Amino acid sequence: MNRLFFLSFLLLLSLGCETPQQVITPTFPTHSEQINLNRIKMITKSEAVHSESKEEKKPLAKEPGVSVDYSENKIPFIQLDLFFEDAGISIIEEIIAGTILDHHIIVLNQKGEIIAKQPVNFQAYEILETKTEVMRNKVIVGESKKPVKVNSTTPETKISREAIERQYTDRDTVPQVLEILDGKVPNPGEYISIYLELTFVNPHLEPNCESYFGNCFGAKQKFFEDVTLRNRRELDILRNRYVEGEVAQFPNLTPTEQSEFKTNIKSKIDSTNGLYGPKHGFTKFYFREWNLVSSPRYFRIVSVNKNGKQLSQEERHEDKKQSDDSNGNSKSEDDSHSIFDSPTHSKHKKRTIPTP
């Protein structure tokens, strides 16, 4: 009896209550990926080869070793690969798109001193080189009135080059050559740490796709169109240089360009808010700048190699002394050069000083 009374009371209570109106919440594109800075790593060549294989991947070494080598220009460097699989950000593609405005790989010695700092480098194009060998035949007609073909002894070779733009995914490894500053070459057995710094601009919120005719990234493309066009122009110039056989790097944004593009993006966001938003009117864009720092990874210096042989401790001290002595003279001359310079470049030619 008590149970019947209780059920009747609940029925009366439910009939007496008004049904609340449904609240419509605007929908925005959701991003399933999150940036995981722990997944951005510098790895050795052996680890890079293994990461590209289809076999079961092994965990990265806890104490990887790396060697310091010298280029033909006598510049010390360390060669590693940038790896960012499952990091939630395709670094190279974001650099080209203009959302990563600034980027540097930084190397510290075990004293905490910076021994190398340079932007992320990447091969923008792959060169497809086609060689065509043309053999010209001579046709001679003799008394028999039948043609006789005589092969030419000097075939002509034609070479054509085509630059194909590389598309990077987060599973690609990107080789990096890190030039070590003068007098900062670490000794074998010492440890270095390497990490990546990024300035990433990502406006918030993304609009409803229906307001941009189904293009969910319409507003974002509008904000970054100036820096994207700049990068595309530089890539077109780079393509022509590659076809001509030159080795060149993608020119990164200067500090002045970074500042100008940030101001431009902010201005476009301010003009877009409330003008081109979705029909429901809930979208508002915010300028967001993230200064990201990846987790450092530590490497042990295995050896220091020059001219194909390992340098002894005494040779390293002598080499460092010569570097310090020449450093003062080099500051007074405009003789800056890079590891990418040819060893026959005019900057590296021997200079003859006449003596009385």
Side-chain angles (χ1 to χ4, degrees):
M1 186 69 181
N2 291 335
R3 181 177 297 177
L4 182 60
F5 177 78
F6 180 71
L7 292 174
S8 301
F9 176 78
L10 288 179
L11 182 60
L12 290 172
L13 184 63
S14 61
L15 292 174
C17 295
E18 295 183 0
T19 303
Q21 295 182 352
Q22 184 180 2
V23 178
I24 300 177
T25 305
T27 57
F28 299 95
T30 57
H31 297 276
S32 58
E33 291 184 340
Q34 294 181 348
I35 297 177
N36 185 352
L37 299 177
N38 293 324
R39 300 292 301 175
I40 302 175
K41 300 283 187 182
M42 297 298 294
I43 61 178
T44 62
K45 283 296 175 185
S46 60
E47 291 173 327
V49 171
H50 185 77
S51 67
E52 294 174 355
S53 66
K54 296 182 179 180
E55 302 176 0
E56 185 179 355
K57 295 182 180 180
K58 296 180 180 179
L60 298 179
K62 293 184 179 179
E63 191 178 287
V66 66
S67 297
V68 177
D69 294 294
Y70 280 75
S71 69
E72 294 178 343
N73 329 33
K74 299 181 181 180
I75 298 177
F77 68 92
I78 297 171
Q79 188 171 358
L80 291 168
D81 280 27
L82 176 62
F83 187 59
F84 44 90
E85 183 178 7
D86 297 330
I89 181 172
S90 184
I91 293 176
I92 306 303
E93 294 301 323
E94 296 291 349
I95 291 175
I96 295 175
T99 54
I100 293 180
L101 295 177
D102 193 21
H103 46 91
H104 284 94
I105 298 174
I106 298 176
V107 184
L108 304 178
N109 61 15
Q110 58 189 25
K111 297 179 182 179
E113 301 171 331
I114 295 178
I115 64 173
K117 180 179 180 180
Q118 63 188 55
V120 175
N121 292 316
F122 60 94
Q123 182 181 351
Y125 294 94
E126 292 178 328
I127 298 300
L128 179 62
E129 189 173 274
T130 304
K131 291 185 179 180
T132 305
E133 192 173 85
V134 180
M135 180 71 75
R136 298 186 182 277
N137 296 321
K138 297 179 181 178
V139 180
I140 302 175
V141 180
E143 290 295 330
S144 62
K145 303 299 176 83
K146 293 182 179 180
V148 178
K149 292 183 179 180
V150 180
N151 291 333
S152 173
T153 57
T154 55
E156 298 179 9
T157 302
K158 295 182 179 180
I159 300 177
S160 61
R161 294 187 182 91
E162 181 183 0
I164 303 174
E165 186 174 343
R166 282 200 61 177
Q167 301 294 327
Y168 287 90
T169 68
D170 66 344
R171 295 191 176 185
D172 292 322
T173 56
V174 188
Q176 303 294 313
V177 176
L178 307 174
E179 301 179 20
I180 301 178
L181 300 175
D182 290 339
K184 297 293 184 180
V185 178
N187 294 316
E190 294 183 352
Y191 287 84
I192 60 173
S193 62
I194 306 179
Y195 61 93
L196 177 66
E197 288 185 344
L198 299 173
T199 299
F200 180 54
V201 176
N202 185 26
H204 182 78
L205 300 165
E206 294 291 351
N208 191 320
C209 303
E210 66 181 10
S211 299
Y212 291 87
F213 306 101
N215 182 9
C216 300
F217 301 99
K220 190 173 183 179
Q221 291 170 351
K222 175 181 174 63
F223 299 152
F224 290 92
E225 61 183 353
D226 294 326
V227 62
T228 303
L229 287 174
R230 177 267 183 195
N231 290 343
R232 296 308 314 179
R233 285 195 301 268
E234 294 294 344
L235 285 173
D236 290 339
I237 295 172
L238 201 59
R239 177 191 286 111
N240 297 330
R241 296 182 66 182
Y242 268 63
V243 170
E244 294 298 326
E246 294 185 47
V247 178
Q249 296 174 265
F250 177 78
N252 297 299
L253 296 175
T254 64
T256 302
E257 288 177 318
Q258 293 175 35
S259 177
E260 291 177 351
F261 284 129
K262 286 180 186 179
T263 303
N264 185 273
I265 293 170
K266 291 177 182 178
S267 175
K268 289 189 175 184
I269 288 177
D270 291 340
S271 63
T272 301
N273 283 332
L275 295 180
Y276 306 104
K279 296 176 182 178
H280 51 64
F282 282 97
T283 296
K284 184 176 178 65
F285 295 97
Y286 299 90
F287 180 88
R288 298 190 305 178
E289 178 181 334
W290 305 94
N291 295 316
L292 307 178
V293 180
S294 70
S295 298
R297 193 173 186 215
Y298 297 87
F299 296 84
R300 184 175 60 87
I301 300 299
V302 177
S303 61
V304 179
N305 307 311
K306 190 173 185 180
N307 298 328
K309 68 174 185 178
Q310 294 188 14
L311 290 181
S312 64
Q313 194 73 10
E314 291 76 12
E315 289 175 324
R316 288 198 65 257
H317 282 305
E318 183 64 25
D319 190 55
K320 182 178 179 181
K321 182 179 178 182
Q322 292 178 357
S323 175
D324 293 340
D325 292 341
S326 61
N327 199 25
N329 297 330
S330 63
K331 289 180 180 179
S332 61
E333 300 176 4
D334 186 13
D335 196 29
S336 61
H337 54 269
S338 166
I339 195 173
F340 297 100
D341 290 339
S342 169
T344 58
H345 194 279
S346 59
K347 297 175 183 177
H348 307 291
K349 289 183 178 178
K350 293 183 179 179
R351 299 174 181 175
T352 304
I353 303 177
T355 56

